Amino acid sequence: VYTFELHISKVAIGDRGDYRCEVTAKDKKDSCSFNIDVEAPRPSDNANVLQAFKRTGEAKGDMAGELDFSGLLQEEVQVEERKKKKDEDDPFPPEIWELLKGVTKKSEYERIAFQYGITDLRGMLKRLKKIKVEPKKSEAFIRKLDPYQVDKGNKIRLMVELSHPDLPLKWYKNGQLLKPSNKYVFENVGLKRILTIHKCSLADDAAYECRVNEEKCFTEVFVKEPPVTVEKGLDDQQVVVGDRVVLEAEVSEEGAQVMWMKDGVELTREETFKYRFKKDGKKHYLIINEATKEDAGRYKIMTNGGESEAEVIVEEKQLEVLQDIADLTVQASEQAVFKCEVSDEKVTGRWYKNGVEVRPSKRIHISHTGRIHKLVIDDVRPEDEGDYTFIPDGYALSLSAKLNFLEIKVEYVPKQEPPKIHLDCSGKSSENTIVVVAGNKLRLDVPISGEPVPTVTWMKGDEVFSVREGRARLEEQKELSSFVIESAERGDEARYTIRVTNPLGEDTATILIKVVDVPDPPEAVRITSVGEDWAVLTWDPPKYDGGQPVTGYLMERKKKGSMRWVKLNFDVYPETTYESTRMIEGMLYEMRVFAVNAIGVSQPSHNTQPFMPIAPTSEPTHLMLEDVTDTTATLKWRPPERVGAGGIDGYLVEYCREGSEEWIPANTELVERCGFTVRGLPTGEKLLFRVIGVNIAGKSPPATLAQPVTIREIVERPKIRLPRQLRQTYVRKVGEQVNLVIPFQGKPRPQVTWTKEGQPLGEDIHIRNSDTDSVFFIRAATRNHSGPYQLRLQIENMEDTATLHLRIIERPGPPRAVQVKDVWGFNALLEWEPPQDDGNSEITGYTVQKADKRTMEWFTVYEHNRLPRCTVSELVMGNEYLFRVYSENQCGTSETPGLSTNTARIPKAGLTLKPPKFQEHDFRSAPQFLTPLVDRSAVAGYTTALNCAVRGHPKPKVVWLKNQVAIGEDPRFLARHSQGVLTLHIRKPGPFDGGVYGCRAVNELGEALTECKLEIRVPQ
C-alpha cells in the first residue's frame, strides 16, 4: 500500500475547488476526485461593538446623543439562550450530517442511525433533505464548465464565461497544460472562452480543467463510441472434408469487438485448438484449418450494431478425374506412355494389365508427380499388348485404356517397287480415325516404301497441306512421313489424306483426326420458379459438346454482390432442370451451370438474372359470406397467416357452379382490401366461391367456402334502428341545420315513407334514402318544423314504424306586469307574470336587475331565479330604484326585459350616536431590570462603561453603588439615564476602581437591584 499526501501551506480563498488524484502504472490508470472548501476569516466578536449601539436624541452627528445598549444587550441574551436551547434539544450529533451526505444506498441510512442510536429515522431524513449547500459565488467565472458527451469522431466545444475580459486563462487535460494545435483550438468571444476539440477519440475521454489565477473549474468529457455495423457480410461456403475454411467479414471500426456464433452457440477462446480468430484492421476472420462433417452449420458474426450469417456445407471428399488415360497404338521398340490426372495430389494408386498388377522393372516405370500418374513402357514388345487399368487407393474408381501393338512386316522387294503406305487401314475404301484431346500433342508417323523413293502429298480436306514449320507441320524422314500437331485445337479436326506416288504407281490412305474438347457452356440459363427457400433452374444443352457426349452438369450459386460461389452438386447431374434448396428468403442470388463430358468441365455459363426466393402467401383465412342478393354475393375474409418477405399485392375472387370444375374469375384487377362484392351472378344458381392471395411469387392456395351459396335474395323483416338520442324529443334552435341519419335493416330494400301528423312533408324538408338508412335534412329550422314525424318501412306485407319528436326553440319574450309590491327597511318585494311567448321551451328562470333612478346604471341582483317574484335587499337609504326582469329558457335570455311600472323608494330614518364608555388603563409598575449588569474586565487608564436597562412607572430614582456604598458627585464617574437605559462611565480607571458595582432603582411601588464585578487589569 502506498500513501500520497498533498500539503497546502497558507491556504487562500483561491485554493478551494475540486481536486483530482490520478495514479498510473504501466497500461492501467485510476483516479479519484475530492473537494476543498476554504472559508473567509470571521471578524472578532468584540470588534466594532460601539457600532451596534444606537444614540438617543435628535442631535445630528456620530458623537451626538447618548448610546442605547438595550438592543445589543437583548440580542446577545437571546442568541445565548437559542444556542443553549438548540444544543440541549438537538438529538443528532453534528458529525452525522457529513456521513449522510455521502450515502448512495438507502440501506446505509438505517445502519448509520443504528450506529449513533437515532430512533427518529424519518425526522433525520426530513432534516437531511432541508440542508442546502449554498453555492459559493466565483469571482472569476460567471458560467463554469458543464459535463459533456460526444460521439467518437465528432468535435466538441467546452465553454466558460469570465467576469472580466482581461483575466488570464489556461486549459488543462488530466493535469497537463494544453497548447493550441490543429486538434485543440482556443477562441475568445467577448467574455466567453471556448476550447474546441476536433475528431474526438477515446484518448480525449478525460478530466478537463480551466484555471484563472487561483480559481479553477472542472468537467469531464465522455466520448461515446458509435455502434459497430457489419459493412461486408459473410458468404456461404461449400467445402469437402479436410479443406480449409475462411469466413471473412468487414466491420465499420478497426479493432472492434465481435462475437462469433455457430448454430446459436458462442465460439469462445477455449476452442482455439479448432477455430482460429484473426483481425486485420476492419476485417475479421474465422479460420477452420481442416474441416470435418461436424463443422457444417450456420455461422454468425455479431457486433453491437449489426450481424451477418452464412452457411457452411461440408461434403464428403469426391475424387474428380481431370484427364483420363487414352488408348495407344505403338510399334515395336517404341515407348508407350499412359497418363492420367486426378483432383487430389495426395491420392496414390496401382496399375494393372489384364487384371494383374504391374510391377516396375528396367523397362517399365511407374511415377506419381502431383496429380499426374504415369505408366511408361520402353521398347514395346508384342507381349505388352493388352488392357491397362489405373485404380486410385480408397476410391471405387478405375481408369482403363488399351495398348495396341503395331506389327510391321518387312518383305524383300526388287529395286523397282510401287509406292505403298504401311498402315493397318490403308486403301482407298478404308479410313483410320485418331482421337486427340484438345491441348495435347499429336504425332502421326506414316511408314512408306517404294523404289524409286515416292513423292508424299498431304491433303487436309480438299486442300493441299504442306506446312513445314509451326504448331501443325509435316516432318519427312527416310521411309517415314510424320504429321505433328503441338497443341491440338478444334480447327485441326478434319479428314487428312496422304498420297505417295512414283513412276510405278501411287497409294493413298485417309486418316480422320477427331479433336475432342470440353463442351461449350450451357445456354439460356434461367430461373423458372421460386419458393420460400428454393428455386428451379433450367438451361439448354451446349451447342458444341466437345466431340464427346455431355455426361451431365455442375451447378453453382452465390449471393448477389459476393465473389464466392458455392457448389450445389459434386456428382454430375444429367437433367437440364435442377431445384436448388436451402436458400434464405428475401436474399438475392445468382446461379450458373457447367457442362461436363469425358474430357472435362466447360467454362461457366452466363449468370442468371438476380432472383429472390420468395414463397406465395398461405391461403386467406376466415372466408365467409356476408350478404347475398338476387344477382350479387358479398364475401369477406382475413389476411393469410403467413405472408413472407414478398408481401401481398391483392386477392383474386373466383366462383364456379356446384358440380363444375370451371372457375370463373370475378375480378380482373387485384382487390387490396379483405372484402369484395361479386356482381352479375345468375339468380337461383348454387355457386362455390374461393379467394386466392397474390404476390410477386405467384398465387397462394385458395380458400374455398365450405358450402355452396344459393344466389337468391333473403327476405329480412324491416327493422328501424332508431338512435338513442332520437328516442326522446330532439331539440334544435331556430336557424340551425337538422341532419338526422336513421339506420334500418330489411331485405329486399324496404319502401320508406315519412309523414308529419299523417300529412306529407313540406318542400323545405329533404329526405334521402339508401339500402341501409334514411337521412332527414332541414337546411334552416323554424318553429313550424316542430312536432312528431312518423317513419314507416314496408316490405310486401311486413312493416315497421317509428316516431321522431322534433322541437325547434328560440328565445322567449319579456316578462309581463313587472311591479314593486312592497317596500320595508332596505328591502323591496318584486313580482311579475311569465312571458306570453316561451320560445317553444320551458322557462328555466329569470334575471333581475336594479338601477338607481339618479344614475340609471343597471346591476344584476339575481340570476336564474326560478319563481316569478323575488325580494331585493341591501338597498341604499334615500335612493329610489327601478327594476327590470329578463326571462330565460334553454335557448337563452329574452332580447328585451320587462320594466317595473313603479319604483321602490327607501326613506331616511333618524340616527343617535352612543359612544362607548372609556376606562383609563393603569400603567404603573414597580421597577424591573430588563437587562442586568454584566461582569466586566477593563484595562487601567482606558475609559469603560457599565450598562443596564430598567423599566418602571412612575419613573424610578436610580442610585449607583460601589461595594454597597453610593457613588456621590465624584467627577471620575458619569451616570446617564435615557429611556430606561442606564450607563455609568468610569474615566481612566485605576487599580483601586475595581470591585462590585450595583444599580438600585426605587419608586413608590418598590425597588430593584442589579450588581456586577469590575476587574481592572494593569498592562505589563
Side-chain angles (χ1 to χ4, degrees), residues 912-937:
T912 303
L913 177 62
K914 295 182 179 180
K917 294 182 179 180
F918 174 74
Q919 184 177 0
E920 185 178 359
H921 181 72
D922 187 6
F923 289 97
R924 297 184 302 164
S925 64
Q928 180 185 0
F929 282 96
L930 301 178
T931 303
L933 294 174
V934 181
D935 294 343
R936 295 207 56 182
S937 176

Side-chain angles (χ1 to χ4, degrees), residues 617-834:
T617 67
S618 60
E619 67 275 4
T621 58
H622 300 88
L623 176 62
M624 60 180 295
L625 179 69
E626 186 177 22
D627 191 16
V628 62
T629 65
D630 288 341
T631 58
T632 66
T634 302
L635 305 174
K636 68 177 182 178
W637 59 89
R638 292 184 181 177
E641 293 181 355
R642 181 184 59 78
V643 176
I648 185 164
D649 298 334
Y651 301 93
L652 289 176
V653 181
E654 298 177 343
Y655 66 91
C656 75
R657 289 180 170 84
E658 186 180 18
S660 174
E661 296 295 332
E662 181 183 358
W663 289 92
I664 302 172
N667 56 322
T668 56
E669 296 182 357
L670 295 179
V671 179
E672 295 185 359
R673 62 186 185 89
C674 296
F676 184 71
T677 300
V678 184
R679 305 183 184 277
L681 299 177
T683 304
E685 288 286 348
K686 287 187 175 182
L687 303 179
L688 284 171
F689 292 90
R690 70 181 186 183
V691 179
I692 301 171
V694 180
N695 67 357
I696 191 173
K699 299 180 179 180
S700 72
T704 308
L705 283 177
Q707 300 294 334
V709 179
T710 301
I711 308 303
R712 181 177 291 112
E713 186 82 52
I714 301 174
V715 177
E716 183 180 357
R717 188 177 186 85
K719 178 68 175 178
I720 299 174
R721 302 287 186 182
L722 194 63
R724 185 184 301 271
Q725 70 271 18
L726 300 181
R727 295 177 187 175
Q728 53 190 359
T729 302
Y730 187 72
V731 180
R732 301 296 288 176
K733 296 180 181 179
V734 172
E736 292 184 345
Q737 284 187 358
V738 178
N739 189 4
L740 303 177
V741 179
I742 294 88
F744 56 79
Q745 63 186 32
K747 291 184 180 181
R749 179 174 176 175
Q751 182 180 357
V752 182
T753 305
W754 283 89
T755 60
K756 180 183 179 183
E757 298 177 348
Q759 300 298 324
L761 302 182
E763 295 181 356
D764 54 348
I765 300 177
H766 306 280
I767 303 297
R768 186 177 70 250
N769 300 321
S770 68
D771 293 341
T772 57
D773 56 37
S774 178
V775 179
F776 180 90
F777 180 75
I778 302 175
R779 187 174 302 278
T782 63
R783 291 273 293 275
N784 297 330
H785 292 136
S786 301
Y789 292 82
Q790 290 80 31
L791 171 63
R792 180 171 175 266
L793 299 181
Q794 185 175 4
I795 300 177
E796 297 178 356
N797 59 347
M798 297 177 292
E799 67 176 24
D800 190 18
T801 60
T803 301
L804 170 65
H805 294 276
L806 181 63
R807 182 189 296 173
I808 308 300
I809 63 175
E810 62 180 348
R811 293 185 178 186
R816 297 174 298 162
V818 181
Q819 58 181 339
V820 179
K821 287 292 186 180
D822 191 11
V823 177
W824 71 97
F826 302 102
N827 308 308
L829 176 61
L830 192 65
E831 291 185 359
W832 60 89
E833 295 180 2

